[in-house]
Amino acid sequence: MYNLSNIFLKGDVILKESLNLNSFLLFDGAMGTMLQKYGINEGLPESFNIVNPELIEKIHKDYILSGANIITTNTFGANKFKLEGTNYRVSDIVKRGVEIARSAAGNKLVALDIGPTGKLMEPIGTLSFEEAYYAFKEQIDNCSGADIILIETMSDIYEAKAAVLAAKENCNLPVFCTMTLQKDGRTLTGTDIFTMVNILQGLNVDAIGLNCSMGPSEMLPHIEEMLSYSRIPVIAQPNAGLPRIEGENTLYNITPEEFADYLEIMAKMGVLILGGCCGTEPDYISKIKQRINGLKPVKRNQKKYTTACSSTKTVILGDGVKIIGERINPTGRRKLKEAIKYGDMELLKIEAVKQVESGADILDVNVGLPEIDETDVMKNAVKEIQSVVNAPLQIDSASHEVIEAAVRICNGKPIINSVNGKDEVLDKVLPIVKKYGACVVGLTLDENGIPGSAEGRLRIAEKIIKRAEEYGVDKSNVIIDCLVLTASAQQSEVRETLRALKMIKERLHVLTTLGISNVSFGLPQRELINRTFLAAALAAGVDMPILNPLSKEIVDTINAFNVLWNNDKEAKNFIRVYSNLDNKNNTNNDMEKSMDLKEAIFKGLKNEAQIITENMLMKVEGIDIINNYLIPALDIMGNEFENGRVFLPQLIQSAEAVKGAFKIIKEHMKSNNLGTVTKGKIILATVKGDVHDIGKNIVRLVLENYGFEVMDLGKDVSEDKILLEAVNNDIKIIGLSALMTTTVKSMERTIKFLKTNLPECKIFVGGAVLNKKYAEMIGADYYAKDGRDAVKILQDIFKNNMIK
């Protein structure tokens, strides 16, 4: 059974009520829905902490009376970005929000509510990790009086990480974090539930869960999956179904009784913390309270996994042989050394892509050169590599400062390479491992160097594991490297390395790695030596060899081993790889060039795309490159995105590559007086009262890369301004966005106003609170669920001459 005292008695937190530590916790419901109920259909909800605190306190008290024992402050959007351009300060709204909640809560608990910034994080957008961190820190710095930090409705795991670190580093309150999913079970930026759990658990949050975006029936299977992985309490706060408009009211299609039915099911499955999101009111909470009275939380037994994660992919370590790619390392590589020295990340990105395509599961990243600022270069390398591949990273440096800087901004759960048996190194690196929830490689050397015997290396491995556990790092996250010595200089010790590896596997039961290529240094036919040693190491028990995945013979050896050792069940992967080899060699020059350009786009290599485009313009018309290469490549990526085979980060990077190619073509056409390449002009705007523009910004980027000219009016835009810009610029296609339920009425009024004053215009709408039926209700011509949908809509409009 979960011991909630571990959550609520953390640090100096004092419980405001005597809780039965074997009972459920019940959050409140929606704030925006209640504001609408009281006649407030637009404006900044958080501003009512200042202008109408009595109403906010009444809403809190209504939830307390309904049975909630945790209420959330009215501070969801109280960050510097969403308040920009208003007369309100973050500190004033947050402090006042906590004061109001504290007054209403009595002996109940108060959770400081922190929502997303509303900005896109790098590399999809322009918001850096540290900018996000300091925005969240500003909120947390003003949370005095709160009992819990609730980070909610996060659609980007990277932004969630920034918020969690801001909370952990600037207060001693328990931290809860809930994410919001799309219908495919992933976040907007592509994070699946397994990856989400691994990253957030690693960051030592106290409870994790899901909220918003879907009703309880749709959320149920996702919650069930989360329960199968999470070793900490799980939170469920669904919406009250789908919204609809009746007169001046926005209503939801799930009744309080139906809602409570599903929440009771979730409680019986193992959810410990319950509540509601959009559309839920106090009667929803009271119904849940009635259903869980008398129930006891379910004890869950989760399998323990050791993992490394990117933002969109989890690699289970110890589940078959995993390849760690070694090629992002300047040692002995002149071109890579020069690229790192001069800050040219393109070669690193190309190396990353090639290794992943060749079978690397994880990429080792080492940029250590004496003549550079290793910290800055490593951070830049991590960002750039993350932008083009979805493989987890292994951060490789001898400096603990470099390691922490890189692990901090790494989007996922990385491996740290490395610690060793030296006390000084253990004391510097292991706290970093614990703080960021990473795995760590332990080298079997200490102050006396590398022991010559297997027994000596075993003793150091035992010390590393013991010290890791003292720092709170589970031994499952420790990977031992028995250190490969060169056969040319230390031939007798090669077998000793293998003997040490086998002893450590049998006696300590931990994961292992080896740098395979070291064994052949100084010898001819290195590839032969490497693959022979690899086969021996695999048989001795190495789990994650560090090697060159571009070597076909090396990868062939691993694929064959996985069959022989029953890792590749029914030899499915082996058959897939070797039964249908494509050896065709297309010699058509134009085809080679088109494939090269498309490949650069698929891989998100902007510089490569620009260079290839420049070369193509010597023989191919710019408009032909656009129509025959760029647009088809985007269509392919769009289809892959729709089918769940690539995710938003990859789609955006491909769009950026197309943008680079478009830039070259536009400059070429302008300099040669060849006209323009605009497919049509449109306006995009987030409606009055809504300060969210993530979705709109993504749509704009996709449309621009399909050749449309976009006038982006920003967020919180009045209908008068939209009409003025449409008339002045002769634009008759308008895209409107709204995220908040409180501003859908504003969208409806805007559509009615535009249709009255510009009847020939076509309006498409999008946003998390909308669907096709809802869009029809408010008078829109089209509903676009994402940028890809928007492209199809506009292509159809212009193709059929639907604009006069």
Side-chain angles (χ1 to χ4, degrees):
M1 190 59 58
Y2 300 109
N3 183 356
L4 291 184
S5 63
N6 290 336
I7 296 176
F8 290 110
L9 299 181
K10 194 175 163 189
D12 296 325
V13 176
I14 300 173
L15 281 174
K16 303 301 180 183
E17 66 173 347
S18 176
L19 287 174
N20 178 351
L21 296 182
N22 291 323
S23 67
F24 296 93
L25 293 173
L26 186 56
F27 266 97
D28 52 11
M31 174 61 72
T33 300
M34 292 299 290
L35 289 174
Q36 283 184 319
K37 185 175 181 178
Y38 286 103
I40 298 166
N41 291 309
E42 61 179 75
L44 187 70
E46 295 79 12
S47 68
F48 289 90
N49 292 348
I50 308 298
V51 301
N52 195 347
E54 296 82 7
L55 175 58
I56 301 302
E57 184 165 2
K58 174 174 172 43
I59 293 170
H60 287 323
K61 287 182 176 179
D62 287 344
Y63 280 120
I64 292 291
L65 291 173
S66 72
N69 45 32
I70 310 175
I71 57 172
T72 52
T73 59
N74 181 35
T75 55
F76 176 82
N79 66 68
K80 62 180 290 188
F81 302 109
K82 291 182 179 178
L83 297 183
E84 189 176 17
T86 73
N87 295 320
Y88 300 105
R89 297 188 305 175
V90 171
S91 58
D92 293 338
I93 285 184
V94 173
K95 285 179 180 178
R96 194 69 186 101
V98 175
E99 288 171 0
I100 296 167
R102 182 77 278 149
S103 174
N107 63 352
K108 308 297 182 181
L109 299 170
V110 171
L112 176 70
D113 194 8
I114 296 177
T117 62
K119 296 285 187 180
L120 286 169
M121 298 278 289
E122 294 177 334
I124 302 172
T126 59
L127 183 66
S128 73
F129 185 85
E130 289 303 319
E131 285 173 327
Y133 171 89
Y134 282 109
F136 293 125
K137 180 180 183 298
E138 186 177 12
Q139 294 172 278
I140 291 157
D141 283 344
N142 292 281
C143 74
S144 178
D147 303 297
I148 303 164
I149 303 296
L150 174 64
I151 300 161
E152 65 157 318
T153 324
M154 289 287 168
S155 59
D156 185 345
I157 194 71
Y158 201 31
E159 186 174 24
K161 178 178 180 177
V164 169
L165 288 176
K168 290 284 184 179
E169 293 176 352
N170 295 284
C171 74
N172 64 351
L173 300 179
V175 178
F176 294 1
C177 184
T178 58
M179 305 288 291
T180 184
L181 300 178
Q182 302 184 114
K183 289 181 180 179
D184 62 358
R186 290 178 178 262
T187 68
L188 175 68
T189 54
T191 303
D192 61 279
I193 291 173
F194 188 34
T195 300
M196 180 194 309
V197 171
N198 279 292
I199 293 172
L200 292 176
Q201 266 186 177
L203 291 170
N204 304 300
V205 300
D206 298 285
I208 57 175
L210 302 175
N211 81 299
C212 204
S213 74
M214 56 184 67
S217 62
E218 295 85 2
M219 185 178 284
L220 187 62
H222 303 307
I223 283 290
E224 185 175 19
E225 183 181 359
M226 179 170 279
L227 287 166
S228 70
Y229 303 133
S230 175
R231 298 191 301 276
I232 57 178
V234 169
I235 308 168
Q237 292 180 289
N239 290 343
L242 297 173
R244 70 183 190 276
I245 289 179
E246 288 188 8
E248 290 297 312
N249 299 316
T250 300
L251 305 176
Y252 286 77
N253 66 348
I254 299 291
T255 66
E257 290 78 11
E258 293 170 315
F259 192 85
D261 286 342
Y262 284 105
L263 273 288
E264 182 181 1
I265 293 170
M266 293 181 191
K268 290 178 177 178
M269 289 165 52
V271 173
L272 199 65
I273 305 171
L274 306 159
C277 204
C278 299
T280 58
E281 300 178 12
D283 50 349
Y284 286 77
I285 305 306
S286 63
K287 290 295 181 183
I288 300 171
K289 181 74 172 179
Q290 292 170 18
R291 297 298 182 84
I292 62 175
N293 270 344
L295 291 181
K296 294 294 182 182
V298 175
K299 184 176 182 180
R300 296 183 287 116
N301 295 309
Q302 295 76 36
K303 181 179 178 181
K304 183 182 288 187
Y305 294 94
T306 302
T307 61
C309 310
S310 68
S311 65
T312 59
K313 181 179 181 181
T314 293
V315 174
I316 299 176
L317 308 180
D319 180 22
V321 179
K322 306 302 179 187
I323 297 174
I324 301 178
E326 69 179 5
R327 291 178 59 83
I328 303 177
N329 189 320
T331 304
R333 304 192 62 201
R334 183 181 59 81
K335 287 186 178 180
L336 189 62
K337 181 177 180 179
E338 290 298 304
I340 292 171
K341 181 178 177 181
Y342 293 106
D344 179 7
M345 294 291 113
E346 199 68 14
L347 185 55
L348 274 72
K349 289 161 68 175
I350 292 170
E351 285 287 1
V353 169
K354 285 181 178 178
Q355 289 186 94
V356 171
E357 287 183 340
S358 298
D361 300 290
I362 299 161
L363 298 180
D364 187 85
V365 183
N366 185 320
V367 297
L369 290 173
E371 62 267 44
I372 65 169
D373 183 331
E374 189 183 352
T375 298
D376 284 348
V377 174
M378 176 65 91
K379 288 169 64 177
N380 194 22
V382 167
K383 290 178 184 178
E384 293 293 328
I385 292 167
Q386 286 180 156
S387 75
V388 293
V389 296
N390 69 344
L393 302 184
Q394 177 167 281
I395 307 302
D396 188 351
S397 176
S399 164
H400 71 277
E401 290 97 345
V402 172
I403 286 172
E404 177 156 23
V407 170
R408 185 178 185 82
I409 57 94
C410 181
N411 192 359
K413 178 187 175 184
I415 301 172
I416 290 174
N417 189 10
S418 57
V419 295
N420 56 50
K422 298 177 182 178
D423 290 328
E424 180 184 9
V425 174
L426 291 167
D427 290 336
K428 287 180 178 178
V429 177
L430 288 176
I432 300 170
V433 177
K434 174 61 178 175
K435 178 178 179 179
Y436 296 98
C439 292
V440 62
V441 173
L443 309 179
T444 54
L445 65 86
D446 58 16
E447 290 82 358
N448 299 313
I450 303 172
S453 69
E455 289 78 8
R457 298 184 207 185
L458 174 65
R459 283 194 294 272
I460 295 175
E462 288 174 329
K463 176 183 178 180
I464 292 170
I465 292 166
K466 180 181 178 183
R467 291 294 301 279
E469 290 178 332
E470 289 172 358
Y471 275 101
V473 178
D474 193 278
K475 68 180 283 187
S476 63
N477 285 318
V478 179
I479 304 159
I480 296 298
D481 186 341
C482 293
L483 295 170
V484 176
L485 301 175
T486 61
S488 60
Q490 295 152 301
Q491 189 173 0
S492 63
E493 295 185 21
V494 172
R495 290 182 64 186
E496 205 65 19
T497 296
L498 296 176
R499 195 166 74 88
L501 173 63
K502 190 172 183 180
M503 289 173 63
I504 286 169
K505 289 297 293 182
E506 291 176 349
R507 299 187 190 183
L508 303 183
H509 308 290
V510 293
L511 295 169
T512 58
T513 186
L514 286 174
I516 300 299
S517 302
N518 294 343
V519 73
S520 63
F521 186 79
L523 292 172
Q525 289 293 314
R526 293 191 65 185
E527 195 81 355
L528 174 60
I529 295 289
N530 289 345
R531 70 173 185 263
T532 304
F533 178 70
L534 172 63
L538 291 169
V542 70
D543 298 291
M544 292 169 285
I546 304 172
L547 46 80
N548 176 14
L550 273 59
S551 166
K552 183 179 182 303
E553 291 81 5
I554 287 285
V555 175
D556 287 347
T557 299
I558 291 173
N559 288 337
F561 175 84
N562 280 332
V563 173
L564 299 176
W565 252 247
N566 199 31
N567 295 328
D568 182 3
K569 302 297 182 183
E570 300 177 4
K572 288 181 179 178
N573 182 66
F574 191 87
I575 293 169
R576 179 185 63 81
V577 172
Y578 298 104
S579 65
N580 189 30
L581 293 176
D582 184 2
N583 295 315
K584 288 186 280 187
N585 181 21
N586 193 328
T587 58
N588 182 285
N589 289 334
D590 288 336
M591 181 61 72
E592 285 182 4
K593 288 177 181 176
S594 70
M595 288 301 293
D596 286 343
L597 180 55
K598 287 180 181 178
E599 186 178 6
I601 293 168
F602 296 153
K603 295 171 182 175
L605 300 172
K606 184 174 181 179
N607 290 354
E608 290 292 302
Q610 289 179 310
I611 293 169
I612 294 168
T613 301
E614 286 179 340
N615 292 332
M616 290 183 71
L617 283 169
M618 297 178 186
K619 296 181 179 180
V620 184
E621 294 292 331
I623 196 67
D624 290 333
I625 296 174
I626 292 170
N627 291 330
N628 298 330
Y629 304 108
L630 301 186
I631 299 302
L634 275 177
D635 284 341
I636 291 171
M637 286 298 292
N639 289 333
E640 292 290 286
F641 177 71
E642 286 183 347
N643 293 323
R645 289 189 287 267
V646 301
F647 307 107
L648 187 62
Q650 292 94 335
L651 183 67
I652 297 300
Q653 287 306 305
S654 291
E656 285 293 331
V658 170
K659 186 176 181 179
F662 256 118
K663 180 181 178 183
I664 298 298
I665 293 169
K666 288 177 181 178
E667 290 173 352
H668 172 79
M669 296 181 77
K670 182 178 180 181
S671 63
N672 291 279
N673 298 314
L674 298 175
T676 65
V677 294
T678 299
K679 300 275 185 183
K681 297 192 294 184
I682 67 165
I683 282 174
L684 289 182
T686 300
V687 297
K688 182 68 177 175
D690 202 316
V691 294
H692 302 82
D693 59 359
I694 283 183
K696 173 183 64 62
N697 292 343
I698 294 171
V699 171
R700 182 195 69 220
L701 179 59
V702 174
L703 291 179
E704 286 175 341
N705 287 289
Y706 268 87
F708 294 101
E709 185 178 340
V710 180
M711 175 176 284
D712 186 350
L713 302 184
K715 58 191 178 185
D716 192 20
V717 186
S718 69
E719 54 262 42
D720 291 328
K721 182 174 181 181
I722 296 171
L723 177 64
L724 178 65
E725 296 296 344
V727 171
N728 289 346
N729 294 279
D730 192 27
I731 300 175
K732 297 175 183 177
I733 303 179
I734 300 166
L736 300 177
S737 173
L739 181 69
M740 301 158 60
T741 55
T742 53
T743 52
V744 175
K745 293 298 296 182
S746 176
M747 178 180 277
E748 183 181 32
R749 285 194 297 274
T750 300
I751 292 171
K752 185 176 181 179
F753 178 81
L754 292 172
K755 288 290 187 180
T756 300
N757 293 281
L758 195 65
E760 67 271 30
C761 74
K762 297 291 182 183
I763 299 174
F764 66 97
V765 299
V769 294
L770 297 174
N771 54 45
K772 186 175 181 180
K773 186 176 180 180
Y774 208 178
E776 292 171 355
M777 286 182 185
I778 61 178
D781 297 296
Y782 304 93
Y783 165 68
K785 64 181 174 59
D786 54 31
R788 177 84 167 132
D789 253 13
V791 168
K792 292 176 181 177
I793 289 167
L794 295 185
Q795 287 176 333
D796 185 57
I797 290 173
F798 284 107
K799 179 181 179 181
N800 295 298
N801 297 313
M802 297 169 70
I803 294 294
K804 297 179 180 179

